[in-house]
Amino acid sequence: MSLSSLPAALILLLLSSNTLAQLSSIPSIDFPRLGSVDIAGTLSTGLSLFSRDNVTLNPAASTLFSTSSGALSPIGTTEDAGQIYAACELDSKVYVAGAFSQLGGTTAQNIISYDPSSSTFTALPNGGLNGAVNALYCDSSNHLLWVGGNFTLPTPAVVVYATSNSSWVPAPFNGLSGQVLSITPSASSQSLYFAGSFITAFQSNNTNSTFGNNPNVPYSAGATPYSSSLVPIPLAGADLNAAPVTTQTGFTDIANILCPAGPDGEGNTWLAQDGSNAQITVQIFRNEGVSGVRLGNTFVQGRGTTSFTVTTLPNNQVLPLSYVDPVTNTTQNCTATCPLLTNSSIPYQDFIFSSTPSVTITGFQVTLNSWTGAGAGLHLLQLLSEGSFASFVPSLDTASCFSPGPTTVTQSGTWQELNVTTDTAGTVQPVLQATFPTGTAPTSSPSLDLSVYVSAVGYYTVYFVTPGCTQMQDCDLRTTVQASISPGNGVAPVTQEIDQRVTSDTVSTIYRGPIYPSTPSFSIPVSLRLSDTPAGQGSNGNYDIVADQVQFVLTAAPNGTYESVVGEGVPGYNLTTSFGIARGFGIFEWSLNGATANATGTLANGTETAVDGAGGAMYAGILGVSNTAFSGGSMSSFGSNAITALAVGNDNQLFIGGSFSLAAIGAHNIAMWNGTALVALPSGGMSGLVSAMVVDQSAGYLYVGGSFAGLQSGSSSGYGGIALYDINKNQWSSMGGGVSGPVTDLAFDNGELIVVGNFTGVASNTESNLASSAGTTTAGLAAWSTSSQSWVSSPIGSVVGNMTFASSDSEFFAGNIQLLVTPSSVRSYLSEALVIIISIVIGAGSVLLLFLIGVLSALWLRRSEETPHLLAEKDADDGSSIDHHPSMLLEHVQAATRATIIGEGAFAAASGKRQSTEASREHAGDSSLETEEVPGEADVDGPFEDDGRVAHTRYSFEAASDGELDIRAGAQVMVLNDRDASWWLVRDVETGREGIIPASYLL
């Protein structure tokens, strides 16, 4: 607003003789060039620019923010590389989830609770969950927290936390076979929609399954499909000790129960001394990743163990265990004392370590605490792996119990076995090493081929372990290798390059997906050889490559109540072929009032809902086959497909977003389910991943965010990262040109759409693509007015960094933020200034102060009409002109104020030292959060620092005159000269270019 827009009466008053006398000493001010200016302060010493509070944060970590105070306020930070993906409020607590090991200084694995009343974080039972948590849903009616992610316990992918008794509850449908990425309530909130990357199966009238597991593994109702698929670790070479022991012949050798050769009885059972507690100690003297223990009770002579305790070595910890109660078919937990059934129909029970992360031990101890009959005893004792495993050292590959034979190793070239010291005191790990000339062709270099025993069909993550070069003292010799795996059943082999130039032991992922062990050996081929283009120079003309072990970590083992029983009572798994089973991908509906079921296997006929039908259509559309004619070989195609977001329309349409392509209907990354069929949206959908969707029910608009540059076909202009779909008109609309990077989440807040992600600004309506850097600067967080359909200033603050999460109620946000700028209340400052002005008018009788009221009003209206980046607009006037530097208005207003109030000359203090008072700032959260001095408050007459100091640009600035510097928002600069209050000389750290920019543009 310019001076001409002030009320006429006020202008006339200002032009009175008394006023003109005062105005004669005030310089000319070009009001249209002022942009947005905040005014506050103590008027006896002039006015000072209003400043926002700046908080520096650790961008390597993820910070959780609350908006309960009306603006972003940090309340906790993870460790470096930690991530926060979800949060919701239930029963006065906030539950926060992601992939982290601590938040706010409290150790917790991937999920934690926060109490706003005491500002404290608390870990959930068992310390959390053993995998990343991607989604939360707070069911306030039933006081339940639904948790979805990529974990396996207590139930895979989905688990429930009951706030009433602070305990984990298995999902009533036994979880899902894969990963859950989002949880969305239905329109009625009577059911939940789970989305992600998983397979569902529903029985039809004729089921015929083929068996895919080792039939030598005995079936037990005391085990789950997951635990029964875990390969036991061979313990024949371990140090075994059991005491006190019975004196009865044939029952004293503890080794007999590691893999019994026959039924419970003499030569296959161990008995403790009558009426005594007993301890069984197993020491393997090497690090092993384990999942739990398997115990089979004895029934000889009416004996049997009724309770026990497991202690891990070498740290002597009693860890919590989870197990299935075969009587109630529910998951139970125990710690110090765990029950063992004395039911002869249950040959064994599996007890899984429920603590996180996965357990690595060198041994364990089982204490038999109580018994029935004359004393305690066992028929079976096994240590369960994380899935399967193999060593490249042949001497370590002994046969596992129930396996057809040991893992075999085939060597090509010369290999030597070395013992390497591990991180665990007193233990060494045998590894292989091969040394050869650097000019050796990859086809002629030393290589290793494994045939790894895998007990069961399932979904696995396969890792290679590379010993660190520091311990082996061969860092200069190291290079790169290729690791290959053939998953089986027609799935194409996968090859991954591994860089062995690592100083410490390193675990590398080479495959994640379905594994189909071949019969009758139940094995998977794995190989290690020199890379086609070896890295590094070697040493003395030689390379070396090393080999340790390969690990198969089981993430899901499909099975179902209605599967046919094949061979020795073991349930058959349906990963290979099936007939009469309807399958789905990525979408599953569960009624909150539903009966228990098993969604990791085949669900009962008639339980499939219309939304489950959408999953079936996605399954068929992605694979290009009927969802009732499943082909095992096509399962690998799901590796790059996922459903990441669901949204429900006004007429119960289900909008499906993610990463997928449905060739039959021409839909890409987004589609609509109308209750009976999938429908493509206009232009074929989006050109990249859709990560977030929300529906404005009143307007009938679907807002879509993600990592896309535009629409799949046709013009992409203005659709970068975000778009609006009019449901009623079936058409796309641009949102002010889009944003300059990926959008990760969306949420509504008081009529505004809050957009978060990894972008640096919102584009103008003329923007044509995602990469454009023009438009309004706003890093990581932006706001869109749903009423005016335009970008507006964020009501909760601004950031430098990227945001990963926004809760649906806009109460919580998270991201990797370098700098937080929180808006203070301009209205409160303005009110205080007006009170002071009026008081001075009464006391001094000066009419000039009415002029200042007009200025304040104009500036306030101007602030609401224009965006902050207009502050730096300049004309081509000479650099010494007052109009050329509008930020110098502050000094002129100060001078005029002093002249009127305390009688100083208009510019008496122009060369004096500027007085500044640092505002008190308070921030909740970690003690690591630091309040940063605003550059505009610096001592303008301070000494010039030759080395400069580091600052960051709040806005982008385009040079209009010689000597000015083009700079982007968020750039790091070195301040070289800050003697001028308005324009500072800086150097762009990235480019090395120097020039002046407005001081108000710096943080």
Side-chain angles (χ1 to χ4, degrees), residues 67 87-89 747-749 806-813:
T67 59
C88 65
E89 192 166 0
F748 287 118
D749 181 33
S807 64
S808 59
D809 56 7
S810 296
E811 289 293 326
F812 302 98
F813 294 78

Side-chain angles (χ1 to χ4, degrees), residues 556-628:
N559 188 25
T561 305
Y562 296 92
E563 302 300 320
S564 61
V565 175
V566 181
E568 301 200 17
V570 183
Y573 290 172
N574 280 315
L575 275 176
T576 51
T577 60
S578 64
F579 173 76
I581 293 179
R583 298 185 177 275
F585 174 76
I587 301 174
F588 176 69
E589 179 180 10
W590 179 257
S591 170
L592 293 176
N593 298 317
T596 58
N598 183 11
T600 62
T602 304
L603 293 160
N605 188 23
T607 60
E608 185 178 12
T609 69
V611 172
D612 293 325
M618 292 297 298
Y619 182 102
I622 293 172
L623 294 184
V625 299
S626 169
N627 71 318
T628 60

